């Protein structure tokens, strides 16, 4: 794994994409149904469930798209899309608009988050050569996922006051998605690279 430490770091930074999901599902639900906003819990559960259910259709289609156009374009589009739409999601919650909450949830989770959520197992493993693939993939992803696990707690620590209390949380989430997209941009494009050549310094670039 020491021979590919850059890829371990890259996969760790890319793994910050998971912050989007934990902030959306855990923090978002608690914030929306809390006393400061007061949206019905059942409504928020429906919004989350519908968007995640839609992902079961979107993920394989978007993963197939990455086989045609490349891993990096799909990943970067998804991460940057989440960075933008998370603001719309929390704004819709803050104004209590149920239709807008559903629309923002579908855009954030069903469309953009599905681009990264369906792609990371192949994208990350393709960064590493076979002898270090398991260890490189495991170490890199768990660093990023560990941070994502604490994202709701970080969100509550950042939460402000008033109608715009959600803004610092959205900024934090967007920054994590931005870091993920930049890390993906620095990765080698691997969707057409033969399996035996993955992780080699001489791997051809697209």
């Amino acid at each position: 794994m020491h021979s590919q430490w850059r890829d371990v770091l890259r996969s760790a930074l890319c793994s910050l994409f998971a912050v989007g999901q934990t902030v959306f599902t855990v923090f978002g639900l608690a914030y929306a149904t809390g006393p400061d906003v007061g949206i019905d819990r059942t409504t928020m559960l429906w919004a989350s469930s519908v968007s995640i259910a839609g992902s079961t259709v979107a993920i394989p289609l978007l993963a197939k798209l990455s086989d045609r156009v490349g891993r990096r374009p799909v990943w970067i589009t998804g991460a940057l899309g989440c960075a933008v739409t998370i603001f719309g999601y929390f704004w819709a919650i803050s104004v209590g608009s149920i239709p807008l909450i559903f629309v923002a949830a579908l855009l954030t989770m069903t469309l953009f988050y599905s681009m990264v959520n369906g792609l990371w197992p192949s994208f990350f493993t393709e960064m590493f050569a076979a002898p270090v693939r398991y260890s490189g993939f495991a170490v890199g992803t768990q660093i990023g996922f560990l941070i994502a696990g604490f994202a709701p707690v970080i969100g509550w620590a950042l939460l402000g006051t008033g109608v715009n209390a959600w803004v610092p949380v959205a900024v934090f989430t967007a920054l994590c998605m931005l870091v993920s997209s930049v890390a993906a941009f620095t990765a080698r494009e691997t969707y057409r690279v033969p399996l035996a050549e993955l992780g080699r310094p001489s791997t051809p670039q697209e």
Side-chain angles (χ1 to χ4, degrees):
M1 186 176 62
H2 64 279
S3 63
Q4 287 193 251
W5 66 267
R6 291 180 180 86
D7 290 306
V8 173
L9 176 60
R10 184 177 292 112
S11 62
L13 294 176
C14 281
S15 296
L16 291 176
F17 82 91
V19 168
Q21 184 177 37
T22 54
V23 168
F24 177 91
T25 56
V26 180
F27 175 86
L29 176 63
Y31 172 67
T33 59
D36 293 336
V37 180
I39 297 176
D40 179 66
R41 181 177 294 270
T42 300
T43 299
M44 290 304 302
L45 286 173
W46 269 110
S48 180
S49 298
V50 168
S51 63
I52 293 174
S55 298
T56 62
V57 177
I59 284 176
L61 295 176
L62 294 168
K64 186 175 182 178
L65 177 64
S66 77
D67 290 334
R68 293 179 175 272
V69 303
R71 311 296 189 214
R72 293 189 304 174
V74 175
W75 186 281
I76 292 170
T77 300
L80 293 181
C82 284
V84 173
T85 57
I86 196 67
F87 284 89
Y89 178 66
F90 280 115
W91 176 80
I93 290 174
S94 70
V95 299
S97 174
I98 304 305
L100 288 179
I101 289 173
F102 273 82
V103 170
L106 289 170
L107 285 174
T108 303
M109 295 302 293
T110 304
L111 178 58
F112 291 117
Y113 190 79
S114 292
M115 291 184 178
V116 290
N117 196 30
L119 193 54
W120 67 269
S122 58
F123 186 40
F124 292 174
T125 54
E126 288 171 358
M127 293 181 186
F128 299 97
V132 295
R133 186 165 296 144
Y134 184 84
S135 55
F137 172 81
V139 173
T141 55
Q142 294 314 303
I143 292 173
F145 291 166
L146 178 64
I147 296 173
F150 285 100
V153 177
I154 296 172
W156 284 112
L158 294 174
L159 188 67
T161 58
V163 68
N164 294 321
W166 55 272
V167 173
V169 185
V171 170
F172 163 69
T173 306
L175 287 175
C176 289
M177 304 308 286
L178 179 61
V179 169
S180 179
S181 65
V182 171
F185 180 77
T186 68
R188 295 181 293 272
E189 183 55 81
T190 55
Y191 76 115
R192 290 181 178 176
V193 177
L195 184 63
E197 297 180 13
L198 291 173
R200 293 183 179 179
S202 60
T203 296
Q205 303 277 334
E206 292 294 340

